[in-house]
Amino acid sequence: FVDDNNYFDIEAYRYACKIFIIAQEILVDLASYPTKRITQRSHDLRPLGLGYANLGTLLMINSIAYDSDKARAIAAAITAITTGHAYTISAEIASFKGGFADFEKNRESMIRVMNMHRDAAYKIDVRYCPSYLLEAAREDWDNVIALGEKYGFRNAQATVLAPTGTIGLLMSCDTTGIEPEFSLIKWKKLAGGGYFKIINSS
């Protein structure tokens, strides 16, 4: 989502978030779960797990130290866009499919938590975050509140920041999950034995 000028394409990123939230929402009804109780809870709450990978590379190619105020502000904005847009799409789906089964009994608590997230998006340090990222993060969370209060949410959970490991490597990510790079040359141990070398191409 970064062009040759290191500009983060917010609209393309939002579109990807939308597609993956819709796909995950569809999969809730088609997936297999290990127990009847987990199956029931998954259908009642419809939790999703949108996340991202390669944040460390984004910072690296922009010469931003991972443990810096600027890195934290950019990571906060991208994370706010990810989560905010995911819940915006969840509310849009709820507008015609209805909220998750337990939404009404959790309405007050969930709206309160969503407001806390919006407040956090407005507290991202403007000194370190590019204004276009900050504006997008705030816009997404304003939309979450407006749509969520009107329609509720289709999903009790929409995002998760998980380690992406091998999946990230298959997507040609130089860094996986949200962690920084720990070596420019890595060795991956294979399940069937042996290793292969991975060189950071960024």
Side-chain angles (χ1 to χ4, degrees), residues 73 121-131 134 138:
Y122 275 85
K123 290 177 184 173
I124 296 170
D125 199 326
V126 297
R127 296 173 298 170
Y128 302 108
C129 187
S131 59
L134 190 58
R138 292 173 175 178

Side-chain angles (χ1 to χ4, degrees), residues 78-143:
I78 291 172
T79 305
I81 293 165
T82 306
T83 307
H85 205 66
Y87 278 114
T88 295
I89 302 305
S90 181
E92 288 177 356
I93 295 170
S95 73
F96 56 89
K97 296 281 287 182
F100 62 91
D102 292 339
F103 175 73
E104 283 308 321
K105 73 179 182 182
N106 289 290
R107 172 185 280 275
E108 185 179 330
S109 298
M110 189 159 185
I111 296 296
R112 184 172 63 248
V113 169
M114 294 297 127
N115 274 288
M116 291 168 67
H117 280 291
R118 180 180 62 177
D119 292 347
Y122 275 85
K123 290 177 184 173
I124 296 170
D125 199 326
V126 297
R127 296 173 298 170
Y128 302 108
C129 187
S131 59
Y132 74 99
L133 284 177
L134 190 58
E135 289 164 12
R138 292 173 175 178
E139 179 184 15
D140 279 328
W141 277 101
D142 287 341
N143 288 337

Side-chain angles (χ1 to χ4, degrees), residues 176-191:
T176 56
I178 64 167
E179 69 272 15
E181 183 65 289
F182 65 88
S183 176
L184 296 181
I185 299 174
K186 302 180 282 282
W187 292 91
K188 174 82 173 157
K189 186 175 183 179
L190 302 173

Side-chain angles (χ1 to χ4, degrees), residues 10 21 23-24 32 43 56 67 80 82 84 94 97 103 120 141 152 154 161-162 167 169 176-177 180-182 193 201:
I10 293 168
I21 284 294
Q24 288 182 56
S32 298
H43 289 286
D67 185 20
T82 306
K97 296 281 287 182
F103 175 73
W141 277 101
R154 184 69 175 161
L161 291 181
I167 294 170
L169 297 175
T176 56
E181 183 65 289
F182 65 88
S201 61

Side-chain angles (χ1 to χ4, degrees), residues 149-187:
E149 287 179 345
K150 186 173 183 179
Y151 301 117
F153 298 97
R154 184 69 175 161
N155 314 94
Q157 175 184 315
T159 57
V160 63
L161 291 181
T164 57
T166 303
I167 294 170
L169 297 175
L170 292 173
M171 296 189 304
S172 299
C173 296
D174 283 316
T175 60
T176 56
I178 64 167
E179 69 272 15
E181 183 65 289
F182 65 88
S183 176
L184 296 181
I185 299 174
K186 302 180 282 282
W187 292 91

